[in-house]
């Protein structure tokens, strides 16, 4: 029997063709609405699912009784009920590593752009306001030599810290579930309790995954611990931060600026004040969005689903369901 795969994220044609050699593929391109009746009908017969973004609920899983594996085209797995998938014997895979450096580049872009007010001053020229050489009111802050506080020191956190320490001579602090002695050795990084890091760092950069533990990890109390000169960067997930508290901290001058790639609701609602604030650089969730990296993520997702449905170990499993490769 040829197994069936449902795809709801756009994949390159040649990678879809690879899958079609061995599987029946129902390709929905980029599908936003997972309640779409045609998608639901395809799900009823699906053995594999490839996509990203929208939450996968237990109700949706009920509509896919034959499902053996889900391959997410992302490293973050906050959209999936991981324990429920394991309980149902469904393999979940993601795309770590291949996006680490690109996402770290985006994180550093936000550090640089906020510190040097790049977007605000580019807009200044665009408006025709550059009539004389600039004075203090348009100066930014140095990045080199400053203290970078990483909240989360996993793959992406370490890659951002490496850029800071080795490229910009920054002192690295980190707050992380486990200690990272190799990075302490390599970068001179020092581990801190979260509260201490917030008070000490010039740049606070969030790279923890979204989970029940990290949801709203940074709120009004945490912004109050930062200094008026602190620059806050979120490259992880919007819900790790209490966005209303962030807006309040920016408006009240409790922190200097924010660089944001991710938001509580995406796409960002039209009435959000964030993109209109001069001290905010807001990007539309482009952490991994380069041609090269999105291609590598798609390739990894295709390899993961092919291996999972062939009874082999995928390249990047998230869970270890007992029945997945029985
Ligand atoms: P990772 O290697 O798993 O790193 C996550 C780090 O966070 C780990 O070091 C982990 O600690 C730490 N951590 C987890 N829960 C924690 C907690 N409650 N308190 C303190 N530390 C905690 O993941 P990654 O590849 O770096 O990716 C991180 C996240 O970035 C993803 O989950 C995703 O949400 C986000 N992301 C965003 C984009 C974007 O486009 N903006 C792109 C890619 C990824 P241990 O080392 O002790 O386990």
């Amino acid at each position: 029997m040829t197994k069936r795969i449902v795809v709801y994220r756009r994949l390159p044609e040649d990678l879809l063709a690879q899958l079609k050699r061995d599987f029946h593929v129902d390709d929905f391109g980029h599908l936003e609405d997972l309640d779409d009746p045609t998608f639901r009908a395809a799900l009823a017969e699906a053995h594999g699912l490839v996509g990203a973004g929208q939450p996968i609920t237990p109700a949706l899983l009920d509509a896919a009784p034959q499902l053996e594996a889900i391959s997410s085209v992302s490293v973050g797995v906050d959209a999936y009920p991981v324990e429920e998938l394991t309980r149902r014997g469904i393999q979940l895979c993601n795309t770590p590593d291949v996006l680490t450096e690109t996402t770290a580049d985006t994180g550093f872009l936000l550090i640089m752009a906020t510190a040097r007010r790049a977007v605000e001053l580019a807009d200044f020229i665009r408006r025709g306001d550059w009539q004389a050489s600039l004075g203090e009111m348009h100066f930014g802050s140095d990045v080199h030599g400053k203290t970078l506080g990483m909240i989360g020191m996993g793959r992406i956190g370490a890659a951002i810290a490496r850029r800071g320490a080795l490229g910009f001579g920054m002192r690295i602090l980190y707050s992380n579930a486990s200690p990272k002695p190799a990075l302490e050795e390599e970068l001179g990084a020092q581990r801190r309790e979260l509260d201490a890091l917030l008070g000490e760092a010039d740049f606070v950069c969030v790279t923890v995954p979204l989970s029940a533990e990290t949801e709203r990890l940074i709120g009004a109390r945490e912004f109050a611990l930062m200094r008026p000169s602190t620059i806050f960067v979120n490259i992880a997930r919007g819900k790790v931060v209490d966005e209303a508290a962030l807006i309040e901290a920016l408006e009240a001058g409790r922190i200097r600026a924010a660089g944001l790639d991710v938001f509580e609701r995406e796409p960002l609602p039209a009435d959000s004040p964030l993109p209109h604030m001069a001290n905010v650089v807001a990007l539309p969730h482009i952490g991994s969005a380069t041609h090269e990296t999105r291609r590598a993520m798609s390739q990894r997702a295709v390899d993961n689903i092919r291996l999972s449905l062939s009874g082999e170990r995928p390249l990047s499993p998230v869970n270890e369901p007992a029945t997945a490769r029985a």
Side-chain angles (χ1 to χ4, degrees):
M1 180 199 59
T2 305
K3 290 189 175 173
R4 303 180 76 95
I5 298 175
V6 171
V7 177
Y8 62 95
R9 240 314 149 98
R10 203 171 311 287
L11 293 178
E13 282 302 324
D14 62 317
L15 296 185
L16 274 173
Q18 275 179 25
L19 278 185
K20 285 177 183 169
R21 280 203 289 272
D22 297 319
F23 302 97
H24 177 94
V25 177
D26 287 314
D27 176 24
F28 287 84
H30 187 98
L31 184 68
E32 288 288 342
D33 177 16
L34 299 194
D35 291 328
D36 177 273
T38 322
F39 174 77
R40 288 296 178 130
L43 214 52
E45 299 187 67
H47 301 92
L49 195 56
V50 180
Q54 296 89 329
I56 299 298
T57 60
L60 187 138
L61 296 175
D62 288 343
Q66 309 198 63
L67 199 62
E68 296 172 22
I70 301 179
S71 182
S72 187
V73 197
S74 69
V75 68
V77 290
D78 45 281
Y80 305 90
V82 181
E83 283 176 20
E84 177 73 14
L85 291 173
T86 308
R87 204 178 57 70
R88 293 181 187 229
I90 298 170
Q91 176 74 68
L92 177 64
C93 312
N94 66 347
T95 63
D97 306 314
V98 293
L99 48 57
T100 299
E101 297 301 328
T102 296
T103 309
D105 285 348
T106 311
F108 223 85
L109 163 71
L110 288 171
I111 290 172
M112 294 293 290
T114 44
R116 300 303 304 272
R117 303 169 62 176
V119 174
E120 180 190 352
L121 294 175
D123 282 346
F124 175 85
I125 295 191
R126 201 172 289 126
R127 282 196 308 270
D129 287 347
W130 191 18
Q131 306 292 346
S133 59
L134 300 191
E136 251 185 63
M137 67 177 290
H138 291 111
F139 291 172
S141 319
D142 277 341
V143 173
H144 68 271
K146 292 287 184 68
T147 298
L148 173 60
M150 299 303 308
I151 303 178
M153 194 60 140
R155 289 171 291 248
I156 295 168
I160 293 175
R162 213 166 264 124
R163 282 161 176 70
L166 306 179
F168 290 79
M170 297 178 92
R171 175 174 166 253
I172 309 296
L173 306 178
Y174 74 99
S175 158
N176 193 71
S178 61
K180 300 288 176 188
L183 289 168
E184 292 182 14
E185 177 77 21
E186 179 192 349
L187 306 176
Q190 299 170 36
R191 192 170 179 215
R192 292 279 191 278
E193 292 301 326
L194 179 60
D195 286 4
L197 178 147
L198 296 174
E200 219 179 315
D202 298 303
F203 295 85
V204 171
C205 182
V206 179
T207 64
V208 283
L210 174 63
S211 68
E213 277 174 36
T214 61
E215 188 164 357
R216 297 198 165 205
L217 181 70
I218 307 298
R221 192 190 78 86
E222 288 69 30
F223 287 117
L225 292 171
M226 299 179 198
R227 288 172 288 155
S229 57
T230 304
I231 292 180
F232 178 76
V233 169
N234 188 3
I235 186 79
R237 285 287 183 268
K239 287 182 179 154
V240 175
V241 177
D242 177 344
E243 206 163 274
L246 169 63
I247 292 166
E248 213 270 320
L250 286 162
E251 283 174 348
R254 263 190 286 289
I255 61 171
R256 176 166 294 163
L260 308 168
D261 187 45
V262 287
F263 303 89
E264 267 183 9
R265 280 178 56 205
E266 296 179 7
L268 190 61
D271 61 357
S272 170
L274 286 167
H276 308 290
M277 297 172 81
N279 56 348
V280 170
V281 175
L283 298 176
H285 201 146
I286 57 158
S288 64
T290 64
H291 293 293
E292 299 89 338
T293 293
R294 286 291 170 87
R295 163 96 201 168
M297 290 165 68
S298 296
Q299 179 74 64
R300 174 67 69 91
V302 163
D303 290 344
N304 277 333
I305 200 74
R306 186 174 45 74
L307 290 165
S308 299
L309 294 184
S310 309
E312 292 177 54
R313 187 172 174 77
L315 299 174
S316 26
V318 172
N319 61 348
E320 297 287 343
T323 57
R325 281 176 293 286

